[in-house]
Amino acid sequence: EAGVAQSPRYKIIEKRQSVAFWCNPISGHATLYWYQQILGQGPKLLIQFQNNGVVDDSQLPKDRFSAERLKGVDSTLKIQPAKLEDSAVYLCASSFGMTTEAFFGQGTRLTVV
Amino acid sequence: AQSVTQPDIHITVSEGASLELRCNYSYGATPYLFWYVQSPGQGLQLLLKYFSGDTLVQGIKGFEAEFKRSQSSFNLRKPSVHWSDAAEYFCAVGAMDSSYKLIFGSGTRLLVRP
């Protein structure tokens, strides 16, 4: 079974630029999560989808971050404009249902300079 | 809202020694509980989970965890640590707030002495 795919693996951008991350969850998984993991910290939930609907985005900085999952399968997370404090690993995870275990991709390491 | 506390930022053990990583949660009912491991540059891998039933759960790589309702704890244990166990370990809680959320602790970094 293929795992959660994320791209790119690494990205370096200048502050005020924009960036997008892509995630393809495990086939059949209805729930998709985006987490931000700052160095030395645990993952922080940014947004959670159930199929193509948003379940929770309470910690998503909506003035600069956006995410979509238009067809209920793959998802993109965008940052525009980026700030230095956005430097982190962005992890995508999926699960079959909301209360089942989540499977994680390898993440995208973003460096904002 | 639920929260997760991992009180130990770093733990160092000798290879072959036993290990216990602590996790405490705050939630009004019994949550779903998970332990994940993260090796450098990698995503998170599920070690074990507790949903209900037997409070001692077995996971992969020889790990086990015990749910103690009275202490709101879900500590991870391993009887004999191998050098390859050196990694970051995260406890996570899944529970209903306004919606179901999966919340992670801040992690414990395990160092293994040869």
Side-chain angles (χ1 to χ4, degrees), chain B residues 7-113:
Chain B
D8 303 306
I9 298 174
H10 296 102
I11 282 187
T12 301
V13 299
S14 297
E15 190 168 17
S18 63
L19 170 71
E20 182 168 28
L21 302 182
R22 295 183 291 166
C23 173
N24 293 94
Y25 67 88
S26 174
Y27 183 62
T30 300
Y32 300 113
L33 297 161
F34 308 86
W35 275 100
Y36 285 84
V37 61
Q38 186 178 37
S39 297
Q42 301 298 312
L44 282 76
Q45 180 185 21
L46 180 69
L47 285 176
L48 47 77
K49 62 191 178 191
Y50 173 77
F51 287 172
S52 65
D54 192 346
T55 57
L56 184 63
V57 293
Q58 303 297 321
I60 62 171
K61 305 184 180 185
F63 285 92
E64 65 178 27
E66 186 172 13
F67 168 57
K68 293 186 177 179
R69 185 191 310 273
S70 61
Q71 299 177 18
S72 296
S73 69
F74 188 57
N75 293 349
L76 182 71
R77 301 193 295 248
K78 186 170 186 178
S80 178
V81 170
H82 188 264
W83 64 266
S84 60
D85 294 324
E88 186 103 26
Y89 291 80
F90 293 95
C91 181
V93 168
M96 288 299 296
D97 187 358
S98 52
S99 60
Y100 176 80
K101 291 183 181 179
L102 182 62
I103 304 299
F104 284 81
S106 55
T108 298
R109 179 165 297 278
L110 173 64
L111 304 174
V112 180
R113 279 193 298 257

Side-chain angles (χ1 to χ4, degrees), chain A residues 23 31-35 45-49 91-95 97-104, chain B residues 100-102:
Chain A
C23 172
T31 306
L32 187 146
Y33 308 84
W34 282 102
Y35 286 86
L45 179 66
L46 291 176
I47 189 167
Q48 177 181 340
F49 292 94
L91 295 165
C92 179
S94 70
S95 63
M98 277 198 291
T99 58
T100 56
E101 64 264 36
F103 295 84
F104 283 80
Chain B
Y100 176 80
K101 291 183 181 179
L102 182 62

Side-chain angles (χ1 to χ4, degrees), chain A residues 68-98:
Chain A
E68 60 183 15
R69 193 184 184 199
L70 291 176
K71 297 182 179 179
V73 180
D74 57 346
S75 175
T76 55
L77 176 70
K78 297 179 182 177
I79 308 175
Q80 182 179 13
K83 294 184 176 181
L84 295 176
E85 58 261 36
D86 298 332
S87 294
V89 175
Y90 290 85
L91 295 165
C92 179
S94 70
S95 63
F96 182 75
M98 277 198 291

